[in-house]
Amino acid sequence: METSPRQEEPARRETARPGKLSRRGILKGAAVAVGAAPLSVLGMGEAHAADSAMTATSPDGSNKITVSLVGGALSWSVRRAGTTVVHTSALGLAMSDGTTLGTADTVLTTYQHWTKDSTWTPVYGRNATIRDHYQEMRWKLQDSASGVFFGIQIRAYDTGVALRYTLLDTGKATISDELTGFVFPDGTLVHSARDENVYSVVAPDAIPSTGTSGTDVGSLTDMPLLVTLDSGLRACICESSRVNYPRGMLTSVSGQSNTLKTYLMKKTARGSGPVQTTSTVTTPFATPWRVLVLGSSDTDLVDNAELVLNLAPANALTDTTWIRPGKVFRCNLTTAAGIAGVDFAVARDVDYIEYDAGWYGPEFTTTDATAAIPDIDLPMVIDHATTNGIGVFLYVNRLALTNPDTLFALYRSWGVAGIKLGFINDGTQTMTNQIITWAKRAAEHNLLIDMHDNVRPFGYERTYPNWISLEGVRGNEQFPTATHNVTLPFARNVGGPMDYTICYGQSRNQTTNNHQMAMAAVYYQPLNFLYWYSTPTSYATTANWPGLAWFDAVPTTWDESTTLTGSIGEYIAVARRSGTTWFLGAMTNETARTLSVPLDFLDSGVSYTATIYADGTAGTAPRATPTVVSTRTVTSSTTLSMAMTSAGGQAVILRPS
């Protein structure tokens, strides 16, 4: 259960525009909840069209987000440390009746601002506690042409900024487009990727056109979107608190250099399901947060990722004691493989086994996931697993989810611990709500849930922490390059957990085994599938696989995390602490390099035994490079020299002596 050990009541101020009736206390005592939180509404009255601006400033003074009202039109801009991140850019919502809110005839009625400082304890995460410290500004606005009341909210954190819209009248509204733009300085580049494709580094106005007849077509890229600026500043565009709203993408804007615009998906990501060109919502309503995770360096982005969680609703579950992050081993589709998988999990300190696609029949033609194929005695495997303290995950294709309540109740009665949902068609308003409903229903049956394929994060692992992982990444099922792997921590992983599927000793890897091992510390994966494509017999001669001891020891949830060094697409080193033990992972791209990594994050005055898993002499291919294990004593004043071969890595366990 999420707790808040430190809480300060936000100090709030509200100012009515001259000539307007003040409604002191509007929204007092609560922030706008996502979806359909009730908001007090000012009555109609005299409106004054005047140019105005409001700026939210982060507590440390570094980040500033400004919304301006000039000539009846809204715009926004962002600066970090006095340097522009986003130039003056468009804001607005287009409604299906032809009304466009925020582009003309907008008048300001009420202004609010406050600062909040609190901490909360996640069920699992990168850190044991998270600080939620920001300044927020709100405008209540009126479209004088239609009489519609709406609002804009902005927040500034030390880790980034965010904005969203609110529709304040009571009733129904139908949204057809969101006009939020991002005009970047000259020289800006973005790491564009769609679905699970590789990244293309292009100017914002040069995103390649993609899509099929069944999907949205255009110069579209998924979020999280990594942005690098000539100034050296870094940003990652994410979304948070998406409810009853389509998934956002970003698109180049024809004829406008350095410019992106928010695009609301009308079709599902993989082209299955009805087209939705508009979204009807019950008002009052809040759109998702458009989030800019900011950094003055590449490593800042990795450490500032919890901003997405801070903008999401708090944990909705009253009991989370059953939620257990951990490591997972996928079994072949037989009873014997399941039994062997359980025994391997026990021996290797793995928490779960999983039966993947095919355990109940061909996944795209079988719509009944209530009985296993004859080759699997599922009760026997589940009984063997639970007897040995191992949980069981079952894969289910979306075609078999016609009655999730019944199916989830059945699985829970079997003793299943979690479900992995396959080929989830994220994208439309309907699918957003379906995804959240699946997470909620799974929680009601004490089931963990891992959503696969092109699902994108929006912070809801905080709200429903049983939604423990999701894919939405080009992972090891594709055997990507080392360059791709050392881009992910600064891009996709900033938005939330990702199910990458680590492969150890796999002949199709384009990396060394140590590179794969380091992922367990570098990537944030609270549900971590290990040994993908392998079987227990692959590691029968354990002496041939020195990395097994690393995977035995490494956890998936952390008390403290820090990014030690990194450069996008080149290299990264991350240290994470569980209890008194630190786990350090370092990875490089196809360039062999040696990193000098100070260990000043260790407790002063304490000696640690470092067990180091390093690349040996480079093999004929990266995957043929051996692992060399050594130990040494280190302290907080030690600087490790971490040598890595091409596509290599290092993994280090640091235990107090």
Side-chain angles (χ1 to χ4, degrees):
M1 181 176 180
E2 184 178 303
T3 59
S4 298
R6 175 175 175 269
Q7 178 85 35
E8 295 180 12
E9 179 63 23
R12 301 188 172 160
R13 296 184 62 189
E14 178 184 341
T15 306
R17 295 291 295 166
K20 289 295 295 181
L21 178 64
S22 173
R23 294 292 192 269
R24 185 170 299 277
I26 288 179
L27 308 181
K28 193 144 188 169
V32 178
V34 171
L39 304 179
S40 301
V41 179
L42 283 176
M44 299 289 287
E46 180 186 357
H48 291 260
D51 293 349
S52 300
M54 64 173 175
T55 298
T57 302
S58 61
D60 67 359
S62 61
N63 298 325
K64 295 181 184 292
I65 177 172
T66 298
V67 171
S68 301
L69 178 61
V70 178
L74 292 170
S75 62
W76 72 300
S77 61
V78 178
R79 293 173 69 83
R80 179 176 174 85
T83 301
T84 296
V85 177
V86 177
H87 283 300
T88 300
S89 303
L91 292 173
L93 288 175
M95 315 306 288
S96 64
D97 63 2
T99 301
T100 304
L101 303 178
T103 60
D105 302 317
T106 304
V107 295
L108 172 60
T109 66
T110 303
Y111 162 66
Q112 292 181 298
H113 63 94
W114 59 82
T115 297
K116 178 183 177 182
D117 188 4
S118 65
T119 58
W120 57 280
T121 303
V123 178
Y124 51 83
R126 301 171 179 88
N127 296 286
T129 60
I130 297 175
R131 190 177 186 184
D132 190 15
H133 191 195
Y134 61 85
Q135 184 179 67
E136 179 166 341
M137 304 283 181
R138 294 186 184 185
W139 272 352
K140 182 174 179 183
L141 304 156
Q142 185 180 28
D143 179 67
S144 58
S146 65
V148 171
F149 283 97
F150 68 105
I152 188 86
Q153 301 175 8
I154 56 175
R155 286 187 187 178
Y157 294 77
D158 295 348
T159 54
V161 300
L163 68 83
R164 69 176 175 182
Y165 307 92
T166 54
L167 297 172
L168 300 175
D169 292 321
T170 301
K172 297 283 186 181
T174 302
I175 301 166
S176 59
D177 196 11
E178 182 180 325
L179 308 181
T180 309
F182 302 79
V183 180
F184 295 106
D186 290 343
T188 296
L189 296 173
V190 300
H191 285 65
S192 172
R194 183 170 180 182
D195 200 349
E196 295 173 10
N197 291 330
V198 296
Y199 290 108
S200 299
V201 183
V202 297
D205 50 280
I207 292 173
S209 182
T210 54
T212 67
S213 59
T215 64
D216 293 291
V217 176
S219 300
L220 296 167
T221 183
D222 281 325
M223 291 188 276
L225 178 69
L226 171 61
V227 181
T228 61
L229 293 88
D230 248 5
S231 62
L233 297 181
R234 302 293 183 248
C236 193
I237 306 176
C238 306
E239 68 176 355
S240 185
S241 295
R242 168 169 42 107
V243 179
N244 200 26
Y245 204 76
R247 187 173 107 193
M249 299 180 75
L250 294 162
T251 180
S252 298
V253 180
S254 178
Q256 298 184 35
S257 61
N258 300 313
T259 300
L260 295 173
K261 175 192 167 295
T262 301
Y263 178 90
L264 302 182
M265 293 178 68
K266 299 170 179 59
K267 302 179 182 180
T268 55
R270 300 229 168 149
S272 175
V275 176
Q276 290 185 271
T277 58
T278 62
S279 298
T280 299
V281 299
T282 300
T283 56
F285 177 80
T287 67
W289 290 101
R290 301 302 172 212
V291 186
L292 278 172
V293 179
L294 297 175
S296 298
S297 66
D298 295 355
T299 56
D300 281 351
L301 285 181
V302 184
D303 287 341
N304 291 347
E306 287 167 337
L307 175 58
V308 176
L309 291 180
N310 269 330
L311 291 158
N315 177 17
L317 307 182
T318 56
D319 175 23
T320 58
T321 55
W322 54 275
I323 295 175
R324 182 166 59 110
K327 296 169 282 191
V328 193
F329 178 77
R330 182 181 69 161
C331 303
N332 288 336
L333 302 180
T334 66
T335 303
I339 297 296
V342 170
D343 295 341
F344 180 77
V346 171
R348 299 265 64 96
D349 229 353
V350 172
D351 304 276
Y352 301 97
I353 65 161
E354 187 240 3
Y355 278 128
D356 213 271
W359 73 266
Y360 58 85
E363 63 169 327
F364 289 107
T365 57
T366 308
T367 58
D368 181 6
T370 63
I373 58 175
D375 287 343
I376 301 174
D377 186 336
L378 198 55
M380 177 185 290
V381 174
I382 293 173
D383 180 67
H384 185 60
T386 54
T387 299
N388 285 277
I390 305 298
V392 175
F393 267 76
L394 295 177
Y395 174 95
V396 181
N397 183 282
R398 69 173 189 275
L399 299 179
L401 285 171
T402 53
N403 192 335
D405 265 333
T406 300
L407 190 64
F408 294 171
L410 177 66
Y411 288 173
R412 193 58 199 159
S413 73
W414 289 353
V416 170
I419 49 177
K420 174 181 168 183
L421 302 184
F423 291 93
I424 302 306
N425 277 338
D426 193 11
T428 63
Q429 177 193 35
T430 296
M431 280 311 304
T432 294
N433 295 340
Q434 181 65 81
I435 287 167
I436 293 171
T437 298
W438 283 330
K440 183 178 181 180
R441 294 291 180 266
E444 291 169 357
H445 297 286
N446 283 21
L447 289 171
L448 302 178
I449 194 164
D450 176 20
M451 297 197 195
H452 248 236
D453 298 286
N454 196 20
V455 184
R456 293 284 157 162
F458 51 94
Y460 252 58
E461 70 270 21
R462 176 183 181 183
T463 313
Y464 290 101
N466 64 305
W467 182 4
I468 197 165
S469 193
L470 62 158
E471 193 177 15
V473 65
R474 187 176 186 85
N476 244 2
E477 292 177 342
Q478 307 288 340
F479 300 105
T481 65
T483 294
H484 173 83
N485 293 339
V486 292
T487 301
L488 290 176
F490 310 97
R492 165 62 183 84
N493 212 186
V494 173
M498 62 182 193
D499 187 350
Y500 180 91
T501 58
I502 293 174
C503 292
Y504 178 56
Q506 172 55 238
S507 62
R508 289 173 285 178
N509 282 343
Q510 297 191 59
T511 71
T512 71
N513 284 337
N514 286 332
H515 185 99
Q516 297 288 320
M517 291 162 57
M519 292 173 180
V522 171
Y523 295 163
Y524 172 56
Q525 303 182 103
L527 190 72
N528 198 346
F529 279 79
L530 302 178
Y531 313 111
W532 196 252
Y533 292 120
S534 294
T535 63
T537 56
S538 301
Y539 309 105
T541 306
T542 56
N544 295 339
W545 304 104
L548 289 173
W550 159 266
F551 287 124
D552 293 350
V554 69
T556 67
T557 187
W558 308 97
D559 295 315
E560 185 179 355
S561 297
T562 181
T563 305
L564 306 173
T565 186
S567 180
I568 295 165
E570 296 185 22
Y571 60 89
I572 188 169
V574 176
R576 303 189 192 270
R577 179 178 62 83
S578 176
T580 59
T581 302
W582 285 88
F583 296 82
L584 194 166
M587 301 159 61
T588 185
N589 60 5
E590 285 72 18
T591 299
R593 71 182 78 237
T594 299
L595 300 179
S596 293
V597 179
L599 302 184
D600 52 6
F601 55 87
L602 297 175
D603 287 342
S604 178
V606 178
S607 293
Y608 291 78
T609 298
T611 304
I612 301 169
Y613 302 84
D615 294 324
T617 302
T620 54
R623 62 180 175 271
T625 299
T627 296
V628 176
V629 185
S630 63
T631 60
R632 59 175 292 193
T633 299
V634 299
T635 68
S636 60
S637 61
T638 303
T639 295
L640 278 185
S641 180
M642 306 185 75
M644 297 177 284
T645 64
S646 173
Q650 270 200 33
V652 183
I653 304 176
L654 299 149
R655 296 184 176 95
S657 298

